[in-house]
C-alpha cells in the first residue's frame, strides 16, 4: 500500500443528490446554486473520506459536466487542484496518468438508452444514440475507467443513481464501492435521498475504497479498440464520416478501429464536437 495516495476525482453533475432534470441546472435556473453547492459538498465528502483513510499526496478534481464550470472552487476542501473549462482533449479525465493510485467518479449517470435512468446519455445527449466498444454498449463510466486503466489506475468509487450502480457492477464487479444518490423513476424524475445522507455515505465509502485500492484491478478494453458510433441522425453521420479512418456502416452508424483507448477517446470527442456543430449549423 502506498504511504501517500494520489487520487483523481472525475465529477459529473447528473448523478448528484437532489436533481432530477437538466432544467434545474440550466443557466439562471433557481435550483442551480443549490445543485452546485451539493456537488461541491459531495466532492468534499470524498476528500474527507480519503484523508481519514490515508495521507494525501495529491487530489485532483476534474469538473467534467458541460463546459466544466460547476464546482464552487472556494468552497472545496483546501489542498486540491481543479481541472475546469473547455475544450480539453481528455475532457472527463483530463490529466489522468500513472501518477495516480485510484479514480473516483462522483455524480455520474447511466449510459444512453437505460430505462428509468436519470438523464441517461453517453457523452452527448443530442448526438449519440449509443456507443459500442468491442461489441458491448458502454457508458461514460466504462469509457473513463478504461482511460484510467490504460495508465494502470483502477476505479475505486462511483456515485450516481441506482441504474448507474447496476451498470457499474456489471462492468467492474462487486469490488468497486458505490453510493446510490437517488432512485430513477423516469428520465427526468427520481426519488432523491437527502444530500447530507448521501454525503455521509460518500465519506464512508471513499475511505473504504482507499483501503482496498491495491486489491483493485484496472479496467481495460482489449486493443485494438473497435468502436461503433450510433448517432442520433444522418446529418451528424454525414459530418462524422469526414474523419480519416472512420467507416460509415449504415445511415446513422460508423465504425472506427483505434489502436488504443486514448485514440478512441479523441475520435469520440471529435464525433461529439462535429455533432454539436452539425446541429447548430455549418456555414459550408
Ligand atoms: Zn455525463
Amino acid at each position: 500500500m502506498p504511504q501517500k495516495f494520489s487520487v483523481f476525482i472525475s465529477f459529473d453533475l447528473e448523478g448528484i443528490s437532489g436533481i432530477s432534470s437538466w432544467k434545474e441546472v440550466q443557466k439562471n435556473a433557481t435550483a442551480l446554486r443549490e445543485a452546485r453547492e451539493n456537488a461541491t459538498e459531495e466532492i468534499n465528502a470524498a476528500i474527507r473520506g480519503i484523508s481519514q483513510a490515508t495521507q494525501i499526496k495529491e487530489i485532483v478534481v476534474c469538473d467534467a459536466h458541460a463546459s466544466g464550470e460547476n464546482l464552487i472552487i472556494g468552497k472545496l476542501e483546501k489542498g486540491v487542484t481543479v481541472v475546469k473549462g473547455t475544450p480539453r482533449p481528455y475532457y472527463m479525465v483530463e490529466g489522468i496518468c500513472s501518477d495516480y493510485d485510484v479514480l473516483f467518479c462522483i455524480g455520474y449517470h447511466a449510459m444512453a438508452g437505460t430505462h428509468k435512468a436519470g438523464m441517461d446519455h453517453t457523452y452527448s445527449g443530442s448526438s449519440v444514440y449509443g456507443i459500442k466498444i468491442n461489441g458491448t454498449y458502454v457508458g461514460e463510466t466504462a469509457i473513463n475507467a478504461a482511460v484510467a486503466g490504460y495508465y494502470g489506475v483502477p476505479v475505486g468509487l462511483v456515485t450516481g443513481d441506482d441504474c448507474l450502480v447496476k451498470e457499474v457492477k456489471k462492468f467492474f464487479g462487486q469490488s468497486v464501492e458505490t453510493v446510490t444518490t437517488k432512485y430513477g423513476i423516469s428520465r427526468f424524475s427520481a426519488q432523491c435521498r437527502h444530500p447530507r445522507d448521501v454525503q455521509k455515505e460518500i465519506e464512508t465509502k471513499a475511505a473504504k475504497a482507499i483501503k482496498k485500492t491495491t486489491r483493485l484491478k484496472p479496467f481495460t478494453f482489449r486493443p485494438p479498440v473497435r468502436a461503433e458510433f450510433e448517432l442520433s441522425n444522418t446529418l451528424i453521420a454525414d459530418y462524422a464520416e469526414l474523419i480519416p479512418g472512420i467507416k460509415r456502416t449504415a445511415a446513422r452508424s460508423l465504425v472506427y478501429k483505434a489502436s488504443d483507448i486514448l485514440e478512441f477517446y479523441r475520435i469520440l470527442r471529435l464525433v461529439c464536437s462535429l455533432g454539436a456543430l452539425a446541429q447548430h449549423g455549418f456555414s459550408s
Side-chain angles (χ1 to χ4, degrees):
M1 186 148 161
Q3 295 232 296
K4 287 187 170 187
F5 267 73
S6 293
V7 184
F8 193 99
I9 302 177
S10 174
F11 160 77
D12 206 353
L13 190 64
E14 286 87 353
I16 67 153
S17 55
I19 63 161
S20 56
S21 84
W22 283 308
K23 227 173 42 206
E24 291 174 282
V25 288
Q26 272 165 6
K27 229 181 175 178
N28 303 323
T30 43
L32 179 61
R33 179 80 197 176
E34 189 183 356
R36 293 181 66 203
E37 280 171 6
N38 286 337
T40 305
E41 285 313 314
E42 289 186 19
I43 301 292
N44 281 341
I47 296 167
R48 283 195 300 276
I50 296 164
S51 48
Q52 279 159 25
T54 185
Q55 285 192 46
I56 295 166
K57 191 166 167 198
E58 186 184 16
I59 296 180
V60 170
V61 183
C62 182
D63 189 336
H65 174 74
S67 49
E69 298 166 347
N70 308 282
L71 296 166
I72 305 166
I73 191 163
K75 290 197 172 171
L76 283 170
E77 300 279 350
K78 278 194 294 190
V80 301
T81 56
V82 178
V83 175
K84 58 176 295 187
T86 192
R88 50 199 198 219
Y90 296 100
Y91 183 34
M92 296 190 79
V93 278
E94 180 66 43
I96 190 93
C97 66
S98 51
D99 293 348
Y100 295 94
D101 297 294
V102 67
L103 169 71
F104 284 4
C105 300
I106 305 285
Y108 269 46
H109 53 81
M111 71 172 79
T114 307
H115 185 203
K116 294 190 178 183
M119 295 166 270
D120 63 309
H121 67 281
T122 304
Y123 268 88
S124 166
S126 54
S127 301
V128 173
Y129 177 85
I131 295 172
K132 282 184 188 172
I133 292 183
N134 297 347
T136 305
Y137 278 109
V138 292
E140 294 174 13
T141 323
I143 291 170
N144 299 339
V147 174
Y150 174 88
Y151 293 107
V153 180
V155 187
L157 173 68
V158 182
T159 77
D161 73 11
D162 58 330
C163 302
L164 173 73
V165 168
K166 259 187 233 151
E167 179 181 314
V168 159
K169 299 282 185 194
K170 191 187 125 203
F171 278 95
F172 313 134
Q174 295 301 317
S175 54
V176 63
E177 292 297 333
T178 55
V179 176
T180 304
T181 58
K182 53 196 156 194
Y183 298 88
I185 296 169
S186 71
R187 192 168 200 224
F188 297 136
S189 170
Q191 186 171 356
C192 294
R193 293 178 65 199
H194 193 288
R196 283 202 295 277
D197 293 334
V198 169
Q199 290 155 25
K200 187 82 213 99
E201 192 180 339
I202 290 177
E203 190 176 323
T204 309
K205 296 282 178 69
K208 237 176 132 181
I210 291 295
K211 284 177 191 153
K212 63 160 118 158
T213 286
T214 47
R215 300 199 302 275
L216 297 172
K217 270 213 189 101
F219 176 78
T220 54
F221 291 108
R222 187 179 306 174
V225 176
R226 186 180 187 275
E228 293 169 73
F229 295 94
E230 295 168 3
L231 303 173
S232 307
N233 63 57
T234 51
L235 181 65
I236 302 169
D238 290 339
Y239 283 112
E241 83 171 328
L242 300 173
I243 298 169
I246 209 162
K247 222 173 90 194
R248 187 123 177 209
T249 49
R252 284 179 301 199
S253 304
L254 302 109
V255 167
Y256 188 90
K257 217 184 236 182
S259 56
D260 58 37
I261 195 76
L262 301 188
E263 185 187 347
F264 158 76
Y265 199 95
R266 296 172 81 102
I267 294 295
L268 166 67
R269 297 285 296 131
L270 189 49
V271 169
C272 292
S273 302
L274 287 170
L277 286 168
Q279 288 174 96
H280 296 119
F282 271 108
S283 52
S284 59

